[in-house]
Amino acid sequence: MNAPLIGARIPRKEDYRFLTGAGQYTDDVTLPGQTHAAFVRSPHAHARIKSVNTAMARTAPGVLAVYTGDDTAKLGGLPCGWLITDVNGQPMKEPPYPVLAQGKVRFAGERVAVVIAETLAQARDAAEMVEVDYEPLPAVVDGAKARAKGAPALHDIAPDNTCYVWALGDKSAVDAAFAKAAHVTRLDFVNNRLIPNAIEPRAANGMYSRADDSYTLYVASQNPHVERLLMTAFVMGLPEHKVRVVAGDVGGGFGSKIYLYAEDVVVTWAAKQLNRPVKWTAERSESYLSDAHGRDHTTTAELALDKDGKFLAMRVKTIANVGAYLSTFASCVPTILYATLLAGQYTTPLIHCEVTAVFTNTSPVDAYRGAGRPEATYVVERLVETAARDLKLDPAEIRRRNFIRSFPYQTPVALLYDTGNYDATLDAAVKMADVAGFAARKAESAKRGKLRGLGYACYIEACGIAPSAVAGSLGARAGLFEAGEIRVHPTGSVTVFTGSHSHGQGHETSFAQVVADRLGMPIENVDIVHGDTSKVLFGMGTYGSRSIAVGGTAIMKALDKVIAKGRKIAAHLMEAAEADVEYDRGVYKVAGTDKKKMFGEVAFAAYVPHNYPHDKLEPGLNENAFYDPSNFTFPAGSYVCEVEVDPETGKVGIEKWVAVDDFGKIINPMIVEGQVHGGLVQGIGQALLEGCQYDATGQLVTGSFMDYSIPRADDLPSFLVDTRETPCTHNPLGVKGCGEAGAIGAPAALMNAITDALGIKDLAMPATPQTVWRALQQKKAA
């Protein structure tokens, strides 16, 4: 029997393909008769379209077609996948989102026309010849000002720019608890808008076949089946079986490639108009303008405590800027994925959250790595750290006084935590960070004229959003299950088909480890197939750290069926009763005897019907399964960050970073560590460097890497990471999910450390040298 593969540090199987340039990304796909698209985008954030003159562009060299909103008017608008009901029981305002603008543009970068030509250069040249006559209108970009008197209205359906006002919790009980509190900590802050920066920009290549009236879309997507469903059912009105969506290798997503975008629809639709394939790949500047952005909350948060530092209640009011239109999951991010996490790791008995979602003349906002959970953790952990300072309590101690220790635990914000051990992760983090020696290090920094600070963050997240019935009752317009298929070949090797999608997570390795371990075979004998709707059962894709917990469990359930059928065959081969046959990691054995059959022998026998009672069992050894989780999984962890600040320049240096996470059972520690490192870097980027900025007219002023700073190696420390394990109780692998954790806990830990160093209550993200220096000058002046 082979050594166990679950928990083994196995190098990623897919890395050789990527490192040798053999990856097959969407832009690598060139089809016979390939044409190229270039989009004409609005230079205005808000304007009426008086006319679009395409005459010159149509006659330009190589141009095959120019389409405007008039041509695509019969197509449906891009749909939102989650219906939020407001505090008055009314559905959210859901304005049309046309694939090419019709009559009006509402953000700079909105698609007005598309030019299709023989070459990309010809398409781009001709796009510059399209003349659009705009009537500029006033714009609003700040979510906090979108509902102000006199603010320009984006949509007739929402004259005050309000999409919805939504609330969760018992407001009266919360207000009563605040009235009796010994202390109240209050913070006002902005969770800054972020721009996704996957290494591969978005791309789409649409093809049409007249032979069978079918379409194929090659696209950089995190969930091809959902893309197909939304495009066929809501936008193009096509039979789903007539559309194939292929998402091959995808170079990162971070949420930005979950959604159905207008470009995907346009190239697919145009392919039929021309009877030739149409390809579009975003320029980085296009991505900055038109990819779905993340975060952008303006929040007032309060925490009520008794005299001993016990949490009594929390009160949160958030304005969520959703941009000009509702993206695919925009509505649920600041509600279902945000307010439900405000309990954090604590026994806070009463919580009320009110969220007002508003339209602005900015790019649509949707899920970005963490999706609501980073925003919630920032609220909770900044409040907790500030309360500790207000009450002169040790930040770790105030957390320990309020930790949840009895499970399952019903929070006041709807979620039921199944398991956890928050003391274990915090204790380990405190020890690894040498918190006991911090005072000495702080004194040493002071001798050099530097400021040193220490910050904590104890986060929790909800992964594998579930179950479908509950999500549906809360507004989800699709199921949240996952699918898996096990195809055992006659020689015993296995191909696994999964509805999950890999775009950097290492599924080809971790899923193969799960299967190979269960079947007792070398990992090389297992292949993973994903991303092609013509090959894979309908699945919901990858987002929300759901892949191993939901997709992995679907695979496990399919394996159960394979093993059960194999037991029947093995019983016949060994002339034993099926009930007497035991199975363990690739070996069928008759209990109490030395009779056994290896899985490979049974697999071969499955394809030779005379080896078993074929009148009772059909040939072959293929099985599939769908899995709809009964609950979320709840990864959690504790981060400790130590910084040193140069007061002369405002430069922040991260001196130490400790992350101790509980992801349940770990499949591949090396992959998990890589995911944690990546998440931490993105969380540090938000807190220290990244900030999407629009000017008052709605122009994006951070439209390139020259203006929008992302972390580099010299901005980062060497991370100290570790894990503690409390297995999830409701999936067979005991796994929880790990892909977003770092991005969830990091911003609060870093900002807590910086404010500790500066000796101030709050500081806006990103904490750039200028921001820090100004805060220090204001402190001196005060």
Side-chain angles (χ1 to χ4, degrees):
M1 187 180 296
N2 296 320
L5 295 174
I6 301 293
R9 302 177 69 90
I10 294 174
R12 299 198 330 169
K13 295 176 65 178
E14 51 269 63
D15 282 352
Y16 182 83
R17 179 170 84 251
F18 297 138
L19 293 172
T20 58
Q24 183 79 356
Y25 299 91
T26 299
D27 192 58
D28 294 323
V29 177
T30 299
L31 301 168
Q34 186 71 67
T35 69
H36 299 268
F39 284 85
V40 178
R41 298 180 183 275
S42 170
H44 300 285
H46 200 194
R48 290 190 181 89
I49 300 173
K50 299 174 71 174
S51 65
V52 182
N53 186 342
T54 63
M56 187 180 298
R58 291 178 189 276
T59 61
V63 171
L64 301 168
V66 182
Y67 300 114
T68 69
D70 290 340
D71 299 297
T72 59
K74 291 184 179 180
L75 296 175
L78 300 179
C80 181
W82 202 294
L83 174 66
I84 293 296
T85 301
D86 72 12
V87 291
N88 297 315
Q90 299 300 308
M92 66 188 185
K93 301 296 192 299
E94 197 170 353
Y97 187 177
V99 295
L100 293 176
Q102 296 175 14
K104 194 177 184 184
V105 290
R106 295 175 174 86
F107 68 97
E110 185 169 358
R111 297 145 290 254
V112 176
V114 63
V115 176
I116 301 167
E118 296 286 357
T119 71
L120 179 57
Q122 290 171 334
R124 287 176 177 167
D125 287 345
E128 294 182 2
M129 300 176 189
V130 175
E131 298 175 351
V132 185
D133 186 7
Y134 295 99
E135 179 189 335
L137 300 170
V140 60
V141 298
D142 185 344
K145 298 177 181 178
R147 303 175 80 207
K149 185 177 180 180
L154 275 73
H155 303 281
D156 293 342
I157 195 176
D160 63 351
N161 293 323
T162 302
C163 178
Y164 57 76
V165 178
W166 176 92
L168 180 66
D170 187 334
K171 186 177 187 301
S172 297
V174 167
D175 290 344
F178 269 84
K180 299 175 184 177
H183 177 79
V184 173
T185 291
R186 172 180 166 138
L187 287 172
D188 298 281
F189 47 76
V190 172
N191 203 293
N192 44 320
R193 179 183 281 236
L194 302 176
I195 299 175
N197 272 290
I199 194 169
E200 178 206 21
R202 287 193 293 117
N205 194 346
M207 181 178 73
Y208 174 72
S209 170
R210 283 184 177 172
D212 59 358
D213 191 29
S214 69
Y215 300 77
T216 299
L217 173 65
Y218 297 89
V219 64
S221 173
Q222 298 177 219
N223 50 357
H225 276 104
V226 174
E227 172 124 355
R228 182 181 70 171
L229 174 64
L230 295 176
M231 187 164 62
T232 56
F234 295 94
V235 184
M236 296 181 70
L238 298 171
E240 197 170 356
H241 73 285
K242 288 295 185 180
V243 178
R244 175 192 179 200
V245 174
V246 182
D249 290 325
V250 174
F254 314 122
S256 68
K257 294 174 183 170
I258 296 173
Y259 324 115
L260 176 64
Y261 285 95
E263 293 89 351
D264 308 350
V265 175
V266 170
V267 299
T268 307
W269 171 83
K272 181 176 181 178
Q273 311 308 306
L274 297 172
N275 195 32
R276 289 179 65 181
V278 181
K279 181 196 287 190
W280 169 80
T281 300
E283 290 288 300
R284 185 63 63 176
S285 58
E286 285 185 287
S287 295
Y288 270 75
L289 284 168
S290 62
D291 285 7
H293 293 173
R295 316 289 192 251
D296 205 345
H297 285 193
T298 303
T299 295
T300 296
E302 299 171 284
L303 180 64
L305 305 93
D306 70 14
K307 61 182 178 59
D308 298 318
K310 285 286 288 182
F311 304 161
L312 302 176
M314 184 183 294
R315 189 161 53 194
V316 178
K317 293 189 74 172
T318 292
I319 297 171
N321 185 346
V322 298
Y325 300 96
L326 284 173
S327 179
T328 306
F329 292 114
S331 55
C332 72
V333 174
T335 51
I336 307 302
L337 298 179
Y338 167 65
T340 57
L341 272 298
L342 289 172
Q345 300 183 4
Y346 310 112
T347 57
T348 312
L350 296 165
I351 298 172
H352 182 264
C353 179
E354 179 184 283
V355 177
T356 301
V358 296
F359 296 110
T360 65
N361 296 111
T362 61
S363 180
V365 175
D366 211 314
Y368 174 71
R369 196 170 191 170
R373 285 73 58 86
E375 298 93 315
T377 295
Y378 196 78
V379 168
V380 174
E381 291 304 295
R382 288 290 293 118
L383 276 177
V384 170
E385 195 96 353
T386 306
R389 295 171 191 169
D390 290 348
L391 297 176
K392 295 180 170 51
L393 288 172
D394 177 77
E397 174 58 27
I398 198 172
R399 288 173 167 87
R400 291 187 178 106
R401 290 185 187 184
N402 290 279
F403 274 159
I404 298 164
R405 294 187 173 89
S406 177
F407 295 91
Y409 180 82
Q410 178 64 58
T411 74
V413 279
L415 298 183
L416 178 69
Y417 300 167
D418 64 326
T419 186
N421 187 344
Y422 310 138
D423 288 287
T425 56
L426 180 57
D427 291 347
V430 167
K431 184 176 180 180
M432 290 171 62
D434 185 24
V435 171
F438 172 72
R441 295 191 295 276
K442 184 179 179 72
E444 192 276 331
S445 292
K447 290 178 183 178
R448 294 184 285 107
K450 304 294 173 60
L451 307 173
R452 188 171 284 253
L454 190 72
Y456 295 79
C458 295
Y459 77 90
I460 192 166
E461 60 169 323
C463 299
I465 184 169
S468 292
V470 173
S473 70
L474 296 173
R477 288 166 165 166
L480 294 162
F481 54 83
E482 197 47 84
E485 179 183 353
I486 304 294
R487 189 174 298 175
V488 182
H489 305 293
T491 56
S493 61
V494 173
T495 302
V496 179
F497 298 84
T498 174
S500 297
H501 187 276
S502 181
H503 40 278
Q505 293 88 349
H507 293 172
E508 292 177 40
T509 304
S510 53
F511 283 1
Q513 283 180 251
V514 169
V515 174
D517 186 82
R518 189 85 190 278
L519 298 181
M521 64 176 58
I523 192 171
E524 294 78 14
N525 288 9
V526 181
D527 283 339
I528 308 296
V529 176
H530 65 88
D532 188 337
T533 61
S534 70
K535 297 179 180 178
V536 178
L537 295 169
F538 190 102
M540 300 306 294
T542 292
Y543 43 85
S545 302
R546 73 190 300 268
S547 292
I548 193 64
V550 188
T553 299
I555 291 170
M556 286 289 285
K557 288 186 170 294
L559 280 171
D560 288 341
K561 296 179 181 180
V562 166
I563 291 166
K565 183 175 179 180
R567 180 178 283 108
K568 297 177 185 295
I569 298 171
H572 179 77
L573 295 175
M574 293 186 287
E575 300 179 329
E578 181 184 340
D580 294 333
V581 177
E582 300 171 342
Y583 177 82
D584 182 35
R585 296 184 60 238
V587 180
Y588 290 97
K589 183 180 179 182
V590 178
T593 75
D594 60 358
K595 288 184 176 182
K596 65 181 180 180
K597 289 289 180 182
M598 305 304 291
F599 180 80
E601 296 177 90
V602 173
F604 184 77
Y607 290 90
V608 186
H610 62 263
N611 283 339
Y612 61 90
H614 54 277
D615 57 325
K616 297 180 180 179
L617 285 175
E618 62 186 26
L621 201 51
N622 294 359
E623 297 289 350
N624 62 61
F626 287 82
Y627 173 63
D628 193 349
S630 61
N631 194 2
F632 290 89
T633 65
F634 297 100
S638 296
Y639 295 169
V640 180
C641 172
E642 190 170 320
V643 301
E644 188 176 75
V645 179
D646 184 343
E648 298 297 319
T649 65
K651 172 73 173 174
V652 175
I654 302 174
E655 300 298 311
K656 185 178 291 189
W657 196 291
V658 171
V660 182
D661 299 285
D662 177 2
F663 299 133
K665 190 71 176 175
I666 303 294
I667 304 298
N668 187 317
M670 184 173 64
I671 288 177
V672 167
E673 288 169 13
Q675 289 290 306
V676 172
H677 284 207
L680 290 173
V681 170
Q682 285 184 282
I684 289 168
Q686 175 175 10
L688 212 56
L689 299 163
E690 300 183 45
C692 173
Q693 295 290 329
Y694 288 90
D695 69 14
T697 67
Q699 293 300 313
L700 180 65
V701 297
T702 52
S704 74
F705 285 126
M706 294 294 289
D707 310 297
Y708 185 94
S709 180
I710 63 173
R712 302 184 181 189
D714 61 356
D715 295 311
L716 306 165
S718 180
F719 299 121
L720 300 174
V721 302
D722 201 359
T723 58
R724 295 295 181 269
E725 183 180 306
T726 55
C728 175
T729 61
H730 54 79
N731 68 59
L733 288 167
V735 294
K736 296 182 180 181
C738 71
E740 298 167 292
I744 291 169
L750 182 49
M751 295 307 294
N752 283 338
I754 294 171
T755 53
D756 180 52
L758 303 185
I760 61 176
K761 187 172 185 178
D762 197 23
L763 186 71
M765 294 191 290
T768 62
Q770 183 183 63
T771 299
V772 172
W773 185 85
R774 284 181 172 173
L776 285 168
Q777 304 317 302
Q778 291 170 2
K779 182 183 177 184
K780 286 180 183 178

